[in-house]
Amino acid sequence: MPTQTSRASHNLPRFEDAEPLGPQDAEFTRDIKAVLEKHGNLDRFGLVLLHDHFSVDSDEVAVETNDPQARTLHVEVEKKGETKHARPSQWRFVADSEETPTAQSDSTPYEVLMLCLTLACEDR
């Protein structure tokens, strides 16, 4: 299973410094929407503001869980080898020179930023 790399954590701006979407991004967002529609993924993928709150070491991964009754989300850092029942839920694009191999042994233009604990995500 692909997991987060240290490169992802160290290259992202702090939340306070990350520039959110604004009017200057209208053409960009229309283009992204058109590509998602073309491939039937408009209800599958969206946009997130890439940012960092804390460092994640290369042997660690951020894992999201939720409490449907309390309507809360929780993110914890776990050791990659100790994470169970999780699947990727957030990715980021990487430059061609930074492409990372996946489990299928091919190169992809993205890397995983976050895993979601499958049981918690499906327990809604």
Side-chain angles (χ1 to χ4, degrees), residues 36-37 40-46:
L36 292 171
E37 283 180 317
N41 285 321
L42 194 57
D43 292 329
R44 184 173 174 213
F45 296 110

Side-chain angles (χ1 to χ4, degrees), residues 58-106:
S58 62
D59 67 336
E60 298 174 324
V61 64
V63 177
E64 175 186 18
T65 58
N66 68 74
D67 180 341
Q69 278 66 42
R71 296 173 46 183
T72 59
L73 296 174
H74 307 275
V75 175
E76 294 185 25
V77 176
E78 298 180 5
K79 294 292 184 184
K80 287 180 182 178
E82 298 172 10
T83 300
K84 306 288 186 217
H85 307 290
R87 70 172 131 185
S89 63
Q90 293 182 18
W91 306 260
R92 87 173 204 177
F93 294 110
V94 296
D96 290 344
S97 62
E98 297 177 336
E99 289 183 3
T100 56
T102 65
Q104 296 89 7
S105 298
D106 63 342

Side-chain angles (χ1 to χ4, degrees), residues 108-123:
T108 59
Y110 59 84
E111 65 184 351
V112 174
L113 291 180
M114 175 94 59
L115 298 177
C116 184
L117 190 62
T118 306
L119 297 176
C121 290
E122 293 176 352
D123 193 31

Side-chain angles (χ1 to χ4, degrees), residues 4-17:
Q4 178 174 354
T5 65
S6 59
R7 179 179 63 247
S9 179
H10 297 299
N11 288 340
L12 296 177
R14 301 267 318 144
F15 177 75
E16 297 80 10
D17 300 324

